[in-house]
Amino acid sequence: MTRPWIVLKFGGTSVSSRARWQTIAEEARCQARAHRRPLLVCSALSGVSDQLEELIRLAPAGEADPVIEAIRTRHQRLATELEIPFPTAVEEQLEALNKVSQGAHLLGELPPRHRAQVMASGELMATALGAAFLAQQGLDAGWLDARNCLCTDGEDEDPFRAFLSASCAPGPDGDVQAMLEAREESVLITQGFIARTPTGDTALLGRGGSDTSAAYFAAKLEAEALEIWTDVPGMYSADPRQVPSARLLKVLDYAEALEIATTGAKVLHPRCLHPVAQAGIPLRIKATPRPELAGTQISGDLDDRSARVKAISMKRGVMLIAMETIGMWQQVGFLAKAFQCFADAGLSVDLVSTSETSVTVSLDPTANPISEDRLDALCQALSPLCQAEVIGPCAMVSLVGRNIRRILHELGGTFQVFEEQRVHLLSQAANDLNLSVVVDHDQADRLVRQLHAQLFGDSSESALLGPTWQETFEPDAQVSGFFSKTSWWVQKADTLLELGAAESPRYVYDGDTVRQRGRRLMDLGALDRVFFAIKANPEPALLRILAEEGLGFECVSPGEVAHVREHLPDLPMDRILCTPNFAPREEYAEALDLGIHLTLDNLHPLQAWPELFDGRPVFLRLDPGRGRGHHAHVKTAGRQSKFGIAPEQVEEAARLAQAAGAQVVGLHAHAGSGIRSPDTWPATARFLASHRSLFPHLRFLDLGGGLGIPEKPGQLPLDLRALDDALAAVRGEMEGLELWLEPGRFVVAEAGVLLAKVTQLKAKGEVNYVGLDAGMNSLIRPALYGAYHSIVNLSRLAQRADHVAHIVGPICETGDTLGYQRRVAKPEEGDVFLIATAGAYGHSMASHYNLRPPAAPYVLN
Ligand code: LLP
């Protein structure tokens, strides 16, 4: 029986060092041992194709010699590293490059036919070196000229396409099978990217064509599998350079892989999928630096074909053409005429979105040579038909996965991230494999990270999802990426371990971090005053630190006011703000007696107790109409919320205040909690200022709190500088008004951790449990809001986080789970766990439920 073929393709970085060639040799040996015949398809050494392009550019001017020298040195260096003599075949190629360059100099140009020869030399030289190395390693390896096997279909008359971007027939090929069967060597090595024309000239399969070559070879040979070896171990749920928490996609079908490749992922060239899909040959992506990893397997038969988003991809440099006209409404042939203009300009259209009066299309930069001239010419051609506007450069962000239309309802939360974006175009692919938006270029990175955090933030390994990039490449780190190694609690880990061992559970707060946070807010030039919302964390030592930094305090009850006064007896009353909600009359009277700032958030006090406010300065809390925040429970504005005076009641409130003899010196609004888009507070300021004319005594705008922090991997911090800049612009518009802020979480959340000891371990069914002595009585946020707190095994910070478990407490409710499917270093009873970002609304919301005392606070300094 003949041995089946397996085609292995190695990209540029995979053929550029001795270590990588050793992996190649080892792989070839393994395949041969498993009774397969490996065909190795190789690219040029990394960077050489770029050098050859440079040569093509310089040759007509006679300036190519230094480039040829650089190419020689590059190959000589690798030959030395591989400990092989410099192959004559490489010498011959260099000589040919010299000749072509001289010819180009004489002619003053380099036609496509010769350009193809020049480019092909990269692969020819790399494989000559590789063949020599494999032989030196004792492999029975033979060199094969790919041009003898791959013949282009030769249909294109355009010389550019015929020589530089050609294609071949994808099906099985008996001649090639017979030719290669006849070779006696057990391993063959050949070139990617190159083929021959029907007339015997060298042709190229277009940039990225090595993947395509390998796929043609696999299809022609009816190979058992195609493996694409590259420097990443597969396709990921997002580009790992952008999103280190991106997960490996272990299995995909051809259509999904094609969609991910065409919407931006660079790991695989989209053209290579068609030949293998047609022949039903499975394709594996493998990493040359990490051959032991399983990579991504792409095939036609997936067990799980359920609808879900599998990846978020992005393409930069997208240009939009927006065409507006009332002329197209119910007209016949408008689109045909418009698209003809694109065809005439040689531009291929990607996404399309239409309405009665406008059509917007996107141009994909990878498919089009987009230049200003071309776009001008296009707009000119479109001008008799419509008004055309070019928007860009933009970026296209796509959610990719099977049957997206069926799971729109599950994406509800995800759409919230678009709140902060200008979406130029939204498109849902007809094949139901992607949902794409086109946004401003500079917003795209952030959008991808936010979407990924929403869709994959809580994910764990499964049949589809593999380890994250970070877990694969920084496996020792429980603390990486999201938590920088400079986090205060990583630096103070030893002290925390001692504290955790001495008393558990306990909250620990870092005074320095709180001070820094307070200072950063006080340093915002656009703000006049900052009040710390003490409900987030009323720990006296922290209040003292913040008072030293100049902050005031926002309170919501007589208890909080008394607490501030007790621990800061010298604090002027002017630095206390009181914002009660549905509180009894006495609380208002008490606040007025003390002389602290008082906010009314309803008409009732003014209607029912007007005498209280006679001659008094007050603030009115208005409802800005739209709530924001990390969870429905903390959105404190809008129709559904119990807070604030509705917009239609503001005039009445002004009348009532005047009738009572009160002076409205401030307006206040708080949209919600845990917001990370800086435009929120400027919008609130503009909303409040829009009522200015009703309040002649107005001096202060209190924009509320709500400043969020990143909680999940992949989330970005609030951009304080952007906030300051935007507020500064607002200030310019409203002279004479002070801007105040009253944040809680932002000041203390990241400064606090909850330490808890491991009580018991359990494995039940598929699930592992790690039991801690702290539960929802100490930290209720996960149970109440589904909040995410990162969790690490502090006792084993340097160990691999390879144990996946639910982290639970001792309370008798199923909701007593601090984290689901978390990866931690494998614990033992007594280990100290750390639950991060617990400094806000942790201890202040704790209870004695089950009569278990909650974790007690401790301040580090
Ligand atoms: N101002 C007012 C009027 C508020 O109601 C709040 C919070 C703040 C300021 C401070 O908001 P911050 O900057 O901390 O987001 N327990 C929830 C948060 C509830 C917030 C209630 N009001 C949590 O754990 O996320």
Side-chain angles (χ1 to χ4, degrees):
M1 206 185 97
T2 55
R3 291 187 296 162
W5 288 96
I6 179 155
V7 178
L8 309 164
K9 180 256 162 177
F10 296 91
T13 47
S14 298
V15 296
S16 293
S17 69
R18 183 182 177 94
R20 298 285 182 271
W21 274 107
Q22 269 163 340
T23 303
I24 297 175
E26 192 44 42
E27 252 335 284
R29 209 172 269 130
C30 281
Q31 296 294 352
R33 249 187 254 131
H35 301 289
R36 295 189 199 96
R37 288 197 75 182
L39 171 65
L40 315 179
V41 178
C42 300
S43 298
L45 308 194
S46 67
V48 167
S49 294
D50 290 336
Q51 286 177 314
L52 291 167
E53 274 179 355
E54 178 76 352
L55 185 156
I56 288 170
R57 206 172 56 76
L58 296 174
E63 292 166 3
D65 289 355
V67 186
I68 299 177
E69 251 343 275
I71 295 172
R72 170 190 295 281
T73 315
R74 186 78 214 287
H75 289 85
Q76 262 166 349
R77 222 182 288 135
L78 182 60
T80 313
E81 200 189 327
L82 296 177
E83 296 172 6
I84 50 167
F86 198 55
T88 356
V90 179
E91 273 302 357
E92 283 166 13
Q93 286 301 322
L94 291 165
E95 195 37 48
L97 287 180
N98 262 323
K99 287 212 180 96
V100 177
S101 311
Q102 281 159 12
H105 186 34
L106 282 176
L107 289 172
E109 64 163 350
L110 199 54
R113 192 159 70 93
H114 293 113
R115 269 190 258 166
Q117 269 173 20
V118 169
M119 293 304 294
S121 67
E123 274 67 15
L124 291 165
M125 291 189 283
T127 47
L129 287 173
F133 178 73
L134 296 177
Q136 183 236 49
Q137 295 291 299
L139 275 137
D140 176 22
W143 186 86
L144 172 75
D145 191 330
R147 291 169 295 188
N148 294 338
C149 302
L150 300 187
C151 180
T152 67
D153 47 27
E155 276 163 14
D156 222 306
E157 283 174 13
D158 170 11
F160 177 86
R161 277 198 248 274
F163 290 109
L164 301 175
S165 190
S167 20
C168 303
D173 187 329
D175 293 344
V176 171
Q177 288 182 15
M179 187 195 319
L180 298 205
E181 288 303 338
R183 294 283 297 247
E184 280 170 3
E185 303 94 333
S186 52
V187 180
L188 291 179
I189 175 167
T190 191
Q191 309 76 39
F193 188 44
I194 70 173
R196 71 162 194 282
T197 64
T199 49
D201 286 309
T202 299
L204 307 178
L205 299 175
R207 221 85 219 248
S210 286
D211 290 353
T212 315
S213 289
Y216 286 143
F217 269 113
K220 283 187 186 299
L221 294 171
E222 296 180 277
E224 191 177 280
L226 166 64
E227 292 187 351
I228 303 273
W229 287 73
T230 168
D231 41 0
V232 296
M235 287 185 144
Y236 275 77
S237 54
D239 182 344
R241 283 164 305 183
Q242 256 174 316
V243 185
S245 59
R247 285 194 178 275
L248 178 73
L249 298 168
K250 293 201 260 188
V251 286
L252 289 171
D253 70 17
Y254 297 118
E256 290 167 334
L258 179 64
E259 202 67 23
I260 296 174
T262 45
T263 51
K266 300 218 170 50
V267 57
L268 201 65
H269 199 277
R271 275 174 71 199
C272 79
L273 281 156
H274 172 61
V276 284
Q278 192 178 293
I281 297 170
L283 187 161
R284 286 190 286 273
I285 304 174
K286 302 271 294 173
T288 326
R290 298 287 298 273
E292 76 284 5
L293 301 175
T296 299
Q297 163 104 3
I298 301 163
S299 68
D301 40 36
L302 286 197
D303 293 339
D304 179 7
R305 304 185 70 78
S306 53
R308 67 165 296 172
V309 175
K310 294 199 173 164
I312 297 151
S313 36
M314 169 166 111
K315 201 179 274 180
R316 296 178 195 275
V318 169
M319 300 301 281
L320 293 181
I321 312 292
M323 294 168 276
E324 279 286 324
T325 172
I326 41 166
M328 79 176 80
W329 193 49
Q330 295 185 340
Q331 267 216 8
V332 174
F334 173 84
L335 282 180
K337 284 183 214 149
F339 284 147
Q340 190 56 50
C341 299
F342 285 84
D344 294 343
L347 292 167
S348 103
V349 166
D350 191 17
L351 307 177
V352 183
S353 156
T354 68
S355 74
E356 285 95 341
T357 57
S358 63
V359 181
T360 303
V361 304
S362 76
L363 300 175
D364 174 355
T366 53
N368 290 297
I370 299 173
S371 66
E372 233 170 81
D373 292 351
R374 248 175 212 252
L375 293 177
D376 283 350
L378 173 71
C379 291
Q380 201 64 40
L382 287 166
S383 62
L385 288 174
C386 59
Q387 230 176 339
E389 188 198 350
V390 179
I391 306 171
C394 301
M396 178 180 85
V397 174
S398 308
L399 305 185
V400 187
R402 179 165 294 287
N403 300 325
I404 296 218
R405 278 198 283 265
R406 259 198 257 147
I407 49 160
L408 286 179
H409 60 285
E410 287 172 23
L411 301 178
T414 309
F415 286 123
Q416 281 184 7
V417 306
F418 295 113
E419 182 175 329
E420 307 151 25
Q421 299 280 343
R422 245 176 77 196
V423 175
H424 295 293
L425 188 153
L426 174 80
S427 147
Q428 207 272 322
N431 60 9
D432 208 6
L433 277 163
N434 86 54
L435 180 73
S436 297
V437 293
V438 178
V439 295
D440 286 338
H441 200 256
D442 53 356
Q443 293 299 315
D445 278 316
R446 198 156 142 250
L447 179 60
V448 169
R449 269 177 278 194
Q450 286 179 328
L451 284 171
H452 193 271
Q454 282 273 351
L455 288 165
F456 295 90
D458 275 332
S459 64
S460 48
E461 283 200 52
S462 63
L464 165 70
L465 298 176
T468 67
W469 172 271
Q470 222 161 46
E471 286 161 359
T472 304
F473 291 95
E474 295 175 45
D476 300 340
Q478 282 196 90
V479 178
S480 59
F482 178 51
F483 286 118
S484 97
K485 299 191 172 119
T486 56
S487 287
W488 70 267
W489 55 262
V490 179
Q491 311 254 306
K492 298 184 183 176
D494 291 346
T495 315
L496 290 175
L497 277 172
E498 273 172 38
L499 285 169
E503 186 185 320
S504 180
R506 81 192 323 177
Y507 277 103
V508 182
Y509 308 127
D510 187 48
D512 289 341
T513 306
V514 170
R515 187 181 295 281
Q516 251 175 35
R517 282 303 172 104
R519 208 169 274 175
R520 279 177 66 194
L521 291 173
M522 292 301 287
D523 284 347
L524 297 183
L527 288 178
D528 294 280
R529 299 178 72 170
V530 180
F531 294 79
F532 171 58
I534 78 159
K535 73 195 90 166
N537 189 332
E539 183 55 35
L542 304 184
L543 300 188
R544 280 192 289 273
I545 289 174
L546 293 170
E548 278 167 24
E549 292 302 320
L551 282 86
F553 299 91
E554 191 252 356
C555 303
V556 290
S557 70
E560 287 192 349
V561 174
H563 182 79
V564 170
R565 293 183 61 217
E566 180 191 338
H567 294 283
L568 299 167
D570 300 330
L571 190 79
M573 290 302 112
D574 177 44
R575 279 171 65 183
I576 303 180
L577 191 73
C578 191
T579 320
N581 173 253
F582 288 106
R585 175 187 164 125
E586 309 79 76
E587 292 190 13
Y588 294 84
E590 198 182 317
L592 289 167
D593 283 350
L594 284 173
I596 59 183
H597 303 286
L598 176 66
T599 305
L600 311 179
D601 85 343
N602 191 4
L603 303 187
H604 186 104
L606 291 168
Q607 285 163 333
W609 327 312
E611 65 282 7
L612 275 189
F613 307 103
D614 189 10
R616 304 291 196 148
V618 292
F619 280 59
L620 295 184
R621 175 170 179 173
L622 309 188
D623 180 342
R626 190 166 68 116
R628 296 185 178 201
H630 70 79
H631 187 273
H633 293 354
V634 302
K635 294 182 183 170
T636 47
R639 290 265 155 236
Q640 310 299 325
S641 127
K642 66 174 181 143
F643 298 98
I645 297 168
E648 65 273 17
Q649 293 182 328
V650 180
E651 277 184 30
E652 162 123 43
R655 245 190 336 267
L656 287 169
Q658 199 188 11
Q663 292 186 354
V664 178
V665 292
L667 290 178
H668 170 285
H670 172 76
S673 194
I675 308 165
R676 284 173 295 114
S677 62
D679 57 342
T680 305
W681 297 273
T684 302
R686 290 199 171 92
F687 162 76
L688 293 177
S690 71
H691 297 92
R692 186 175 187 174
S693 61
L694 293 173
F695 303 103
H697 302 287
L698 191 67
R699 282 159 43 213
F700 314 116
L701 298 185
D702 180 342
L703 313 181
L707 288 74
I709 53 135
E711 290 177 324
K712 280 186 188 171
Q715 289 184 339
L716 299 182
L718 168 67
D719 185 343
L720 269 198
R721 175 146 345 142
L723 173 63
D724 199 25
D725 290 349
L727 285 177
V730 165
R731 263 185 90 101
E733 298 161 21
M734 40 196 78
E735 207 163 308
L737 293 183
E738 288 193 9
L739 295 184
W740 296 4
L741 220 55
E742 47 181 45
R745 183 192 318 274
F746 184 84
V747 183
V748 285
E750 287 162 302
V753 295
L754 172 60
L755 301 179
K757 264 194 208 158
V758 174
T759 53
Q760 301 188 23
L761 303 172
K762 178 188 276 191
K764 196 168 130 192
E766 304 267 280
V767 179
N768 293 317
Y769 293 89
V770 174
L772 300 182
D773 59 6
M776 65 196 284
N777 62 321
S778 289
L779 181 65
I780 200 169
R781 301 190 72 250
L784 191 57
Y785 313 116
Y788 185 98
H789 290 261
S790 286
I791 301 177
V792 297
N793 183 346
L794 194 64
S795 299
R796 297 166 203 276
L797 210 49
Q799 289 180 21
R800 261 183 91 129
D802 52 6
H803 185 68
V804 179
H806 291 356
I807 316 292
V808 298
I811 300 295
C812 60
E813 286 202 26
T814 303
D816 185 28
T817 304
L818 296 173
Y820 292 91
Q821 293 286 39
R822 296 304 179 82
R823 263 180 175 271
V824 289
K826 193 154 178 19
E828 280 176 19
E829 183 188 334
D831 278 3
V832 175
F833 267 46
L834 178 145
I835 296 111
T837 53
Y841 307 107
H843 185 257
S844 66
M845 293 178 81
S847 75
H848 279 75
Y849 188 35
N850 284 190
L851 294 187
R852 283 190 185 276
Y858 181 92
V859 179
L860 260 187
N861 245 335

